[in-house]
Amino acid sequence: MSTILVAIAGYFLMMLVVRVLTRRPGAQMTLFEFVIVFLMGGVIILATVGHDRSVTNCTIAVMMVGLLHRTVAWAKTKSDTLGAIIDGTPLVLVRDGQVQDEVMHGMRLAKEDVLAASRTKGVHDFNGIQYAILERNGGISIIKREEEPGTGETES
Amino acid sequence: MPDAPEYKPVEDSVPKVDNAVAVGENLSFQRKWWRFERAVWVFFGLIILADVAGAFGRGPVAKAQQQTDSLTLHYERIERTTTPSTMTFQFAPSAIQQGHVHLFVSQSVIKQLGAQRISPQPEQSILSDGGITYTFPATSANALVEISLEPALPGVYHMETGVPGMQPIQARVVVMP
């Protein structure tokens, strides 16, 4: 019983911490952030299983977290607000070559992060970007300035 | 022969509203979220400061001491579940009678606070009303007895201890999850 309660608490605590860490722990994860996320998971699992390291207890904990995750995923499909709270919304970082400073600052992103994503599309400066979008999964999509109408490309 | 399916060429894969890309951005929500984020980090900071101080156990605020004429008790008023700690009893000379000291501890120390080990080993343990009375041989003043604790469950527990026939010590111990 305590394993289930701690697993539920641990799941939502991790969700909160990862969410307020901004979106960088997603697709833009650096090696250090990768270590941080594993460290947090390791600490949570210690409290979840406690002294009872039996296969039964660990199986219950894994099943509980899996069930929770599936339930939350289902709830997100039913409520856009819940989806926005849990995953956030896409954010425009660059619009028509203009960097959106408020969003960049709020998401703690550097211009180099956007340029790094744009280079993979063959765009070397902000003038070549029509839209740079920080997606909900942490990836940056680049839409190049259109040479002709209808030739926009996206990339995550 | 069935009609061949009709295909339409894709002219633009990016959805647009008013000739601008519709990405689903919600900046007003995001501004609220940034404020919430700041509040959460301030809250986390306060929690960590409180923990360093010992508000959740294992720190200066958690340590406590109570004293009577016969006994001084050092304990932790805030314990943590399944985390070992030590409760120390220091006897005054007045507690030593005929080369022995007697120590009463309530059942809550044994059960809820999870007494694991008592040092030194008592010469005698007698079950009494609501607890156990231990007898130790003692020849010098300031004799020390230690009980190792490891609470199994969180909660708020009341304990009582003392030298039988003398003023008891009562304390409340909070066991954090």
Side-chain angles (χ1 to χ4, degrees), chain A residues 16-17 19-20 23 51 84-85 89-92 95 102-103 106-108 131 133 146 150 154, chain B residues 11-12 14 16 20-21 23-27 29-31 33-34 36-37 40-41 44 82 150:
Chain A
L16 175 67
V17 172
R19 183 73 173 88
V20 298
R23 232 167 285 182
H51 287 317
I85 289 170
T89 59
L91 291 167
V92 176
R95 179 179 281 121
E102 181 191 9
V103 179
M107 299 310 292
R108 294 165 189 80
Y131 286 102
I133 301 157
E146 295 175 356
T154 64
Chain B
E11 294 178 350
D12 191 345
V14 182
K16 290 190 173 182
V21 173
V23 299
E25 184 184 46
N26 187 342
L27 211 48
F29 168 83
Q30 191 59 41
R31 289 190 183 111
W33 182 263
W34 283 328
F36 172 72
E37 262 185 19
V40 167
W41 285 118
F44 282 0
T82 70
E150 195 174 317

Side-chain angles (χ1 to χ4, degrees), chain A residues 57-68:
Chain A
N57 199 37
C58 293
T59 304
I60 294 291
V62 168
M63 289 169 74
M64 187 65 232
V65 171
L67 184 65
L68 261 179

Side-chain angles (χ1 to χ4, degrees), chain A residues 65-87:
Chain A
V65 171
L67 184 65
L68 261 179
H69 194 61
R70 188 179 171 85
T71 306
V72 168
W74 171 81
K76 281 193 297 188
T77 65
K78 297 293 174 190
S79 164
D80 290 341
T81 305
L82 188 65
I85 289 170
I86 294 171
D87 291 332

Side-chain angles (χ1 to χ4, degrees), chain B residues 127-145:
Chain B
L127 288 171
S128 54
D129 187 25
I132 298 178
T133 301
Y134 297 108
T135 302
F136 303 91
T139 54
S140 63
N142 295 323
L144 285 176
V145 169

Side-chain angles (χ1 to χ4, degrees), chain A residues 1-88:
Chain A
M1 180 65 185
S2 65
T3 298
I4 292 172
L5 293 177
V6 176
I8 293 170
Y11 177 84
F12 285 108
L13 178 65
M14 277 291 284
M15 181 188 284
L16 175 67
V17 172
V18 170
R19 183 73 173 88
V20 298
L21 272 175
T22 77
R23 232 167 285 182
R24 288 183 64 88
Q28 297 273 305
M29 200 185 309
T30 64
L31 186 61
F32 181 65
E33 287 162 341
F34 197 70
V35 171
I36 292 290
V37 169
F38 268 83
L39 176 65
M40 288 192 293
V43 170
I44 292 281
I45 201 68
L46 283 177
T48 302
V49 298
H51 287 317
D52 185 355
R53 294 173 190 165
S54 62
V55 172
T56 304
N57 199 37
C58 293
T59 304
I60 294 291
V62 168
M63 289 169 74
M64 187 65 232
V65 171
L67 184 65
L68 261 179
H69 194 61
R70 188 179 171 85
T71 306
V72 168
W74 171 81
K76 281 193 297 188
T77 65
K78 297 293 174 190
S79 164
D80 290 341
T81 305
L82 188 65
I85 289 170
I86 294 171
D87 291 332

